[in-house]
Amino acid sequence: LPGPPIPVLRRGGNADVHAAYGAGTTAAYGLALLDRIADAPADAEAPRVLIVTPTAVRAVSAADELAALAGRLDVRVRALAPGWHDAERADVVTGALANVAGAIGRSALKLDALQAIVIESLSVLLDENGRDALDAILTAVPRDAQRVITTSIANAEVERFVEAYVRRPLHVPARAAAPDTRGES
């Protein structure tokens, strides 16, 4: 996966990104999403981008990385994790699946102004029996919000999830076209 932003994300398109851990995925989606929301008006009480991660440690790491990428942009990045404050009021919120689901369940995290959701490491979240929490989170996400899925493993369960929740995603890397069997005997 290349490090530069994925252009379809800057334009608000959905994506299904398959890449190994450490391939620069956070920078690729992060730069595009940060650029997209930097010029848009903000709601001071609700996030515009939500990033769901497998663990709190990864949420903090993603928040640190995205805050560094945001540089001088007027974009507030926070993690739903110990030591971070006012995460629910940030422009970009990262959080472990359990923390995000809990904050939404307590109505502490409002998703009304959400423009994009990123589900990091989908295969890991599904392997850890996170399907119910993911279903609940994505049900709370506005229908027109952009959806970005990252995963290192493509299996049938990941494909079913993407099919259920991501409308017309760009697949990165691109998938091979299905063979055309018309006219064959």
Side-chain angles (χ1 to χ4, degrees):
L1 182 68
I6 302 169
V8 72
L9 298 182
R10 174 62 180 92
R11 293 188 304 268
N14 297 328
D16 173 25
V17 181
H18 295 243
Y21 181 77
T25 309
T26 306
Y29 74 69
L31 287 168
L33 295 176
L34 289 168
D35 184 50
R36 182 169 159 237
I37 68 167
D39 298 327
D43 178 342
E45 298 299 319
R48 294 185 282 165
V49 176
L50 175 62
I51 300 160
V52 180
T53 65
T55 66
V57 170
R58 175 61 195 136
V60 168
S61 174
D64 286 340
E65 189 173 345
L66 292 167
L69 291 172
R72 298 178 194 261
L73 298 174
D74 188 21
V75 175
R76 299 162 299 159
V77 179
R78 302 284 189 275
L80 278 173
W84 290 75
H85 302 288
D86 295 327
E88 295 86 356
R89 291 187 170 94
D91 298 302
V92 177
V93 174
T94 66
L97 177 62
N99 294 345
V100 170
I104 292 170
R106 293 188 312 276
S107 297
L109 186 61
K110 307 285 186 209
L111 302 183
D112 301 341
L114 200 69
Q115 296 174 19
I117 183 166
V118 177
I119 306 294
E120 276 198 0
S121 303
L122 177 61
S123 59
V124 173
L125 294 171
L126 292 173
D127 282 348
E128 294 174 356
N129 297 316
R131 179 65 190 243
D132 290 342
L134 286 168
D135 289 342
I137 290 168
L138 284 160
T139 299
V141 170
R143 291 182 53 90
D144 61 344
Q146 178 180 23
R147 286 153 169 77
V148 179
I149 305 293
T150 73
T151 188
S152 59
I153 298 172
N155 58 31
E157 190 174 15
V158 166
E159 295 301 320
R160 282 191 299 273
F161 186 90
V162 170
E163 187 175 308
Y165 287 107
V166 186
R167 190 175 66 242
R168 296 188 350 225
L170 173 71
H171 299 282
V172 180
R175 292 183 179 169
D180 186 0
T181 57
R182 293 174 288 165
E184 292 181 12
S185 44

